[in-house]
Amino acid sequence: MSFRSVTWVSRQLRSALQGSTAAALQRDSASLASQQVTWSRMSFGAGLAAAGLATFVTSLPQADCAPAMEKGQAPPINLAKAGFAVPKTSRKIVFVLGGPGSGKGTQCSRLVAEYDLVHLSAGDLLRAHMKSGTTDGQMVADMIKNGQIVPSYVTVNLLDKAMADSGKTQFLIDGFPRNEENRAAFEKTGMEPEFILFFNCPEAVMEKRLMGRNEGRTDDNAETIRKRFKVFLESSMPIIDYYNKQGKVRKVDADRDPSTVFSEVRKLFEQGFE
Ligand SMILES: Nc1ncnc2c1ncn2[C@@H]1O[C@H](COP(=O)(O)OP(=O)(O)OP(=O)(O)O)[C@@H](O)[C@H]1O
Ligand SMILES: Nc1ccn([C@H]2C[C@H](O)[C@@H](COP(=O)(O)O)O2)c(=O)n1
């Protein structure tokens, strides 16, 4: 079953449970019909409770959907705005890890262009938070400038809120968990990653990339980069080892041009979630 079909099926289940009208169901059937044409190749293992329903729904004849399509398709319902939370345990999460400058953000941008995934960068969320004017915001700014890891209660709350606000179920979480405290705090929420996409890259290559990034980041300077590398080796690599022992790490050699790296990444995603 594809990422898109799972999203759609879970929306249908909630709609049915929450008493959506027949019209809403018909409208979503139209949406499914159009999605069948543009289906991404992403798939993951069977075994979800919704799989049987998905099979039934995806086998609906196109004619069943045609009248609604002719009348024009309504915009998709944003469950978050409608006040319905997506259950945390039904979220599909991939952690994207690797050293600073290994190319996590670059590859995530390519992934969201191809697959039905929401990209959440922990670093981006924290940078936005540091402009919030709160005490927390100032603490985050100071810690990022020093290459330190922000306390998990801040980062996990930002990630959880961003996931809920998206109204979606499938996420690339980039740059998280960075240390054992991050990992344990996330585990306590009841969510767990399907797999870890790990970008392996030599320090010298990452340093050169960071020094040439030119995005005005307060931490892209020689002194902070050294600190970030130290934190990565001492605090983040043990997390990758932890997931490796669980057989959850999918590793990519990131010291190649972005398109070559992406063709490897795509292969790893097409293995699905099993
Ligand atoms: N495969 C690549 N080859 C050459 N340059 C790359 C490659 N991937 C990314 N870059 C460049 O390297 C810099 C860092 O990339 P990116 O921001 O994707 O890394 P990151 O792992 O997300 O970094 P950080 O953890 O610091 O946010 C960017 O300027 C990007 O354009
Ligand atoms: N889980 C995280 C992720 C990021 N940070 C802070 C510390 C990092 O040096 C900085 C930049 O992150 P990046 O954009 O390089 O992923 O943000 C953190 O404290 N905890």
Side-chain angles (χ1 to χ4, degrees):
M1 185 168 18
S2 79
F3 264 124
R4 286 175 195 182
S5 66
V6 169
T7 306
W8 184 89
V9 166
S10 62
R11 190 191 315 153
Q12 287 297 333
L13 284 169
R14 279 191 303 279
S15 290
L17 288 171
Q18 288 152 359
S20 283
T21 63
L25 286 169
Q26 188 183 32
R27 198 168 56 221
D28 278 358
S29 295
S31 162
L32 174 69
S34 64
Q35 284 172 15
Q36 281 176 323
V37 181
T38 56
W39 226 311
S40 83
R41 286 163 293 172
M42 181 67 176
S43 64
F44 49 88
L48 293 172
L53 178 59
T55 309
F56 163 69
V57 170
T58 53
S59 67
L60 279 176
Q62 296 274 318
D64 289 351
C65 309
M69 290 177 75
E70 279 161 17
K71 285 181 205 134
Q73 195 175 312
I77 300 163
N78 183 324
L79 283 164
K81 283 194 182 140
F84 298 122
V86 174
K88 286 181 188 179
T89 45
S90 67
R91 291 173 183 161
K92 294 281 168 198
I93 290 165
V94 175
F95 286 151
V96 182
L97 296 176
S102 56
K104 302 180 294 295
T106 303
Q107 296 298 322
C108 284
S109 300
R110 290 186 174 222
L111 279 165
V112 296
E114 189 148 330
Y115 299 114
D116 188 17
L117 290 159
V118 177
H119 172 208
L120 296 176
S121 154
D124 285 350
L125 290 169
L126 289 166
R127 277 183 287 277
H129 189 62
M130 79 192 190
K131 294 175 188 146
S132 65
T134 59
T135 335
D136 255 11
Q138 189 51 52
M139 173 191 71
V140 170
D142 294 341
M143 294 192 83
I144 287 185
K145 199 169 174 196
N146 280 313
Q148 294 167 300
I149 307 294
V150 172
S152 303
Y153 74 89
V154 179
T155 318
V156 172
N157 279 341
L158 290 171
L159 286 168
D160 192 30
K161 182 173 184 322
M163 284 189 266
D165 287 350
S166 75
K168 299 286 188 96
T169 54
Q170 295 145 179
F171 303 95
L172 291 172
I173 300 193
D174 161 7
F176 182 96
R178 285 284 235 277
N179 60 11
E180 175 55 23
E181 193 217 2
N182 273 186
R183 191 202 63 73
F186 194 81
E187 192 178 87
K188 278 199 186 122
T189 66
M191 296 181 276
E192 59 173 288
E194 303 298 323
F195 66 88
I196 284 68
L197 182 63
F198 169 47
F199 292 103
N200 186 41
C201 197
E203 223 171 77
V205 174
M206 297 194 285
E207 185 175 1
K208 193 166 168 225
R209 289 181 186 172
L210 293 174
M211 291 305 280
R213 181 154 58 179
N214 267 330
E215 286 179 1
R217 279 177 52 163
T218 57
D219 56 352
D220 277 351
N221 59 76
E223 191 189 341
T224 314
I225 288 170
R226 260 196 311 279
K227 290 183 186 165
R228 289 159 70 197
F229 285 162
K230 189 167 185 286
V231 168
F232 176 69
L233 283 180
E234 289 175 0
S235 303
S236 310
M237 275 310 292
I239 303 307
I240 293 159
D241 292 342
Y242 171 90
Y243 286 117
N244 202 27
K245 286 190 186 116
Q246 296 183 357
K248 283 194 167 184
V249 173
R250 300 187 189 178
K251 181 172 153 187
V252 186
D253 285 325
D255 182 14
R256 293 174 292 176
D257 70 90
S259 298
T260 308
V261 175
F262 187 63
S263 65
E264 290 299 308
V265 168
R266 190 193 275 124
K267 281 185 211 155
L268 294 177
F269 268 76
E270 290 184 359
Q271 287 174 13
F273 280 169
E274 275 185 333

